Amino acid sequence: MGFARACSVALVGVDGVVVEVQADLEPGLAAFTLVGLPDKTLVESRDRVRAAVVNSGAAWPQKKLTVGLSPASVPKSGAGFDLAVAAAVLGAAEVVDPAAIADLVLIGELGLDGRVRPVRGILPAVLAAADAGYRNVVVPQQCAAEAMLVPDACVLGVRSLRQLIAVLTDGEVPEEEAPGPQGRPDPMLAGLVVPGAGLGTGISQRRPGEGEAADFPDLSDVAGQHGARRALEVAASGGHHLFLSGPPGAGKTMLAERIPWILPPLSRQDSLEVTAVHSVAGILPPGEPLVARPPYCAPHHSATMQSLVGGGAGVPRPGAVSLAHRGVLFLDEAAEFSTKALDALRQPLESGHVVIARAAGVVRLPARFLMVLAANPCPCGRHTLHGAGCECPASVIRRYQARLSGPLLDRVDLRVEVEPVTRSDLLGRGGRGEATVAVADRVREARDRAAARLADTPWRLNAEVPGHELRTRWQAAPGALAQAERDLERGLLTARGLDRVLRVAWTVADLRARDRPEALDVAVALELRTGIARGAALAMGAGS
């Protein structure tokens, strides 16, 4: 009788659980039994592992073989357990030393020829293994760079089961032949990126080097829209949600696409969080193991609630709110989304995460993003244009605008009316607007001021600070909230709305290098919140 064990990782969302893979050989009729709550893909690993072992030059044990996956209560899915199952079987057959694999975490899919194919979710899996105290990890060679992002993890990348056997037996490691003709993509990466899984717009994540042309959308390309540009700067500085309303062709989409480029690069911790989500979703570009820029996700208005917040058959998969974690979620034509899908965003907007309950389990996915809504004022889009001939009945306009519910809009800090572009702005007679680089510098400085103030607290952005803390711990200048208090009494603001005005006022103060919000900062916040002019339109550019 032979027994051996190895380890692998089961992913539930973006969280991992270390699974012990046990192999037991007993005298009897040759059979292969797999137990431990495997799904259909994992059950099929019996045939893949048997063929891979035989084609790698090792003898398959002709005994009764039982492979158990513990803990049995955790659902296990995917082909990433193949490598661990093969190692445990070879250990039980004494082809390799069972002690050498007892504390080894192995992740990877096996081809019938013994080659190790990459799988999704390598980064969160290795992070889970490291948190559980495991340091030695074996992954596919193509995913080694992603696994090495985990601090203190000793990563071994292998291209085939033959190479793993040679390493474990101190033999000569064979050289694997090239994956294909030079210049062609590696066919082994076919399952690593899922076609159609991403909801982004394909905007480049690389900033140009010195002497190179810019390959990202620049704010200077936007004609006019000075008020909307200031709102973008406030939104990026404090992490505030933004609603852009205006006629077609005014530049709402152009403005939204430029927000990721005025946001600062992700911190190391944020990069690991975002990369883990993208790795599980299958949208991590090969050769770019670490996402360094804030992501940008723009789902179509026909997206379902499951595609927005996450879901799917079996274990729930990340949705658009998680793919936009630490970045921007842009909902263009927001009034065309289903009301059910939009209202499902209310929980992640408040909590920064989404909890999805399914029969296969409960998954908690990160979802702290900057939401940008864009919508026309009516179905034809000409309601706010003078002399444009809008023929939409008043009842139709009310129903169209009511598709964005009050509770959802109450969670949006900034509401901006985007006016049509004038002829002088479009032809450049009004001068070009500021470039993205200049605005990004101000945003970074404002965020640095907020980070210094919020040091040793759980929050990093003004939009995350609870209203109670702003009213007691960080108070505005005396008399600065007089107008906001009057709006609260008149019903123009809710209690949540007053808290959000305070957060925006702190962001405006940070942009103006003030120690605390003054009456002018609160007036700007109220104007951006309610859309009612209060004589503060030039405050952002005054600098004093």
Side-chain angles (χ1 to χ4, degrees), residues 413-488:
D413 300 344
L414 313 175
R415 307 172 191 177
V416 179
E417 187 75 27
V418 182
E419 300 292 339
V421 181
T422 63
R423 181 175 60 180
S424 61
D425 287 331
L426 188 61
L427 299 179
R429 295 170 186 171
R432 288 171 58 89
E434 282 187 296
T436 292
V437 175
V439 178
D441 289 340
R442 289 201 300 270
V443 169
R444 176 181 48 79
E445 292 172 0
R447 286 203 172 197
D448 289 343
R449 293 190 187 95
R453 182 174 62 254
L454 300 175
D456 302 325
T457 71
W459 316 293
R460 293 183 294 175
L461 297 175
N462 291 324
E464 301 172 3
V465 183
H468 173 73
E469 296 289 336
L470 293 176
R471 293 191 299 270
T472 57
R473 186 172 177 180
W474 294 292
Q475 296 183 356
L481 296 176
Q483 182 62 56
E485 293 169 357
R486 286 195 293 270
D487 285 359
L488 180 64

Side-chain angles (χ1 to χ4, degrees), residues 14 120 194 196-201 205 260 266 270-271 273-285 291 293-299 306-311 317-330 345 348 352-354 356 365-370:
V14 294
R120 301 192 301 272
V194 180
L199 297 170
T201 60
Q205 291 292 308
L266 298 175
D270 290 346
S271 292
E273 292 179 5
V274 173
T275 302
V277 175
H278 287 205
S279 178
V280 169
I283 62 174
L284 192 64
V291 179
R293 297 290 311 169
Y296 176 82
C297 189
Q306 289 76 17
S307 67
L308 283 181
V309 300
R317 310 292 293 180
V321 296
S322 297
L323 298 181
H325 180 59
R326 300 299 179 187
V328 178
L329 175 66
F330 177 46
L345 299 175
H353 63 266
V354 60
I356 308 170
L365 297 169
R368 188 166 295 282
F369 53 89
L370 193 162

Side-chain angles (χ1 to χ4, degrees), residues 110-345:
L110 284 175
L112 300 183
D113 56 356
R115 288 187 297 174
V116 180
R117 303 182 66 94
V119 295
R120 301 192 301 272
I122 287 291
L123 178 60
V126 178
L127 281 170
D131 291 340
Y134 294 87
R135 292 292 176 265
N136 298 317
V137 183
V138 178
V139 299
Q141 179 65 47
Q142 297 90 336
C143 301
E146 182 181 345
M148 289 178 183
L149 296 174
V150 180
D152 302 328
C154 182
V155 178
L156 172 64
V158 295
R159 281 195 172 271
S160 68
L161 184 60
R162 287 182 291 271
Q163 289 185 340
L164 177 61
I165 295 174
V167 171
L168 295 175
T169 57
D170 295 328
E172 183 180 354
V173 179
E175 290 288 340
E176 294 295 335
E177 46 184 58
Q182 188 175 6
R184 294 187 182 179
D186 188 347
M188 300 293 286
L189 300 175
L192 194 58
V193 178
V194 180
L199 297 170
T201 60
I203 294 178
S204 172
Q205 291 292 308
R206 186 183 70 89
R207 278 193 176 274
E210 186 176 356
E212 295 181 351
D215 60 350
F216 60 90
D218 198 295
L219 267 175
S220 61
D221 298 332
V222 180
Q225 306 301 354
H226 304 293
R229 291 168 62 99
R230 287 194 294 269
L232 253 66
E233 190 172 338
V234 173
S237 299
H240 306 287
H241 305 304
L242 174 64
F243 176 38
L244 300 172
S245 176
K252 302 186 295 294
T253 302
M254 287 186 66
L255 289 164
E257 288 179 348
R258 282 147 179 80
I259 294 181
W261 300 104
I262 63 176
L263 294 174
L266 298 175
S267 65
R268 177 72 177 186
Q269 181 61 35
D270 290 346
S271 292
L272 291 177
E273 292 179 5
V274 173
T275 302
V277 175
H278 287 205
S279 178
V280 169
I283 62 174
L284 192 64
E288 298 182 20
L290 187 66
V291 179
R293 297 290 311 169
Y296 176 82
C297 189
H300 191 260
H301 60 75
S302 61
T304 62
M305 183 180 69
Q306 289 76 17
S307 67
L308 283 181
V309 300
V315 177
R317 310 292 293 180
V321 296
S322 297
L323 298 181
H325 180 59
R326 300 299 179 187
V328 178
L329 175 66
F330 177 46
L331 303 183
D332 199 5
E333 303 295 344
E336 300 294 342
F337 282 79
S338 71
T339 303
K340 185 178 180 181
L342 290 175
D343 286 340
L345 299 175

Side-chain angles (χ1 to χ4, degrees), residues 93-106:
E94 297 183 352
V95 175
V96 299
D97 184 5
I101 61 173
D103 294 320
L104 195 61
V105 176
L106 302 103

